[in-house]
Amino acid sequence: MNVRIEEGWRRALADQWEAPYFAELTAKVRSSYACGTVYPPPAQIFAAFDATPFDQVKVVIIGQDPYHGPGQANGLCFSVAPGVQIPPSLVNIFKEMADDTGAGADAIPADGDLGYLALQGVLLLNSTLTVEAHRPGSHRPLGWETLTDAAIRALSSQRKGIVYMLWGSHAIRKAALIDASQNLILTSPHPSPLSAYKGFFGNHHFSRANSYLEEQGKTPIKWL
């Protein structure tokens, strides 16, 4: 199947495009877009891969599925389109970034578009890449996680020295896909208001990631 995606990722996931599950997944997703409102816009389904080429990934942040409200999802996990109200989880992410890096609250962006991180090598990957309007988790049964798990495995097997930030139980389960001897795995509770005060705040993931990247001879991320 000819999939429009960044070339490095297209090669890394070549065996997935011809797998039976992917043809079934594609058919179900197309049907969902044809029959109702689905997010993100079709052209942004693979935005995380396109914004952060396979050979440029330095950090991976894993979300669950896209935001399900009008105009929110832009294909990058935890990110929203410019001009959209910043969701509570992202508010907490920005707060921890500001505190951890010492940048201060004045450095927090006015909008929630995290494209600036993707361009620096932060893969902002949702486990499920599409969702029906106002129905969180609605597309999890379709098979997206087979593809996104394959993406994590491909990174782990073909690249070294990557930081994986796993927030919350769903993301933490992905640690089993990653070679911990060749990469840095950081785990904590989710940044949701329900759990941020249980260990997300104060996890120092952003400074720890940059320290590790510098040890690997890589340019640190400008988080804010």
Side-chain angles (χ1 to χ4, degrees):
M1 183 177 295
N2 183 25
V3 178
R4 294 182 180 179
I5 194 171
E6 189 272 327
E7 181 61 21
W9 283 108
R10 190 184 66 79
R11 291 194 302 267
L13 298 172
D15 58 335
Q16 303 298 308
W17 312 134
E18 303 305 324
Y21 89 87
F22 189 74
E24 296 173 5
L25 167 62
T26 300
K28 292 174 183 177
V29 170
R30 286 175 175 165
S31 176
S32 292
Y33 274 96
C35 296
T37 302
V38 177
Y39 302 116
Q44 295 179 327
I45 291 175
F46 293 120
F49 298 107
D50 293 333
T52 311
F54 182 81
D55 62 0
Q56 295 178 23
V57 176
K58 296 191 289 188
V59 177
V60 178
I61 297 176
I62 299 175
Q64 294 190 32
D65 55 356
Y67 294 118
H68 52 85
Q72 289 183 303
N74 65 1
L76 309 178
C77 75
F78 295 107
S79 176
V80 291
V84 175
Q85 182 176 357
I86 300 177
S89 291
L90 183 52
V91 168
N92 290 338
I93 291 170
F94 280 149
K95 183 179 186 301
E96 176 60 20
M97 282 182 182
D99 291 346
D100 185 23
T101 64
D106 290 345
I108 293 176
D111 68 56
D113 186 352
L114 301 181
Y116 73 98
L117 295 179
L119 294 176
Q120 296 180 71
V122 182
L123 178 65
L124 298 162
L125 181 64
N126 278 312
S127 295
T128 298
L129 300 186
T130 56
V131 67
E132 292 179 19
H134 310 300
R135 294 189 61 205
S138 54
H139 279 191
R140 287 180 199 170
L142 299 190
W144 276 123
E145 288 202 57
T146 302
L147 177 67
T148 54
D149 283 1
I152 297 169
R153 288 193 189 94
L155 278 174
S156 181
S157 64
Q158 300 178 41
R159 299 280 316 283
K160 299 177 182 179
I162 292 175
V163 181
Y164 292 83
M165 296 184 181
L166 310 181
W167 302 332
S169 59
H170 179 87
I172 289 171
R173 287 195 292 270
K174 305 297 185 182
L177 308 174
I178 303 162
D179 182 352
S181 70
Q182 302 287 343
N183 303 279
L184 177 63
I185 301 175
L186 302 175
T187 64
S188 83
H190 195 274
S192 161
L194 298 175
S195 55
Y197 286 95
K198 298 177 181 179
F200 178 79
F201 288 136
N203 65 19
H204 300 293
H205 281 191
F206 306 105
S207 60
R208 291 170 66 186
N210 277 353
S211 294
Y212 180 79
L213 292 175
E214 290 178 323
E215 290 170 5
Q216 300 291 315
K218 299 177 183 179
T219 304
I221 305 298
K222 182 174 175 54
W223 295 107
L224 291 172

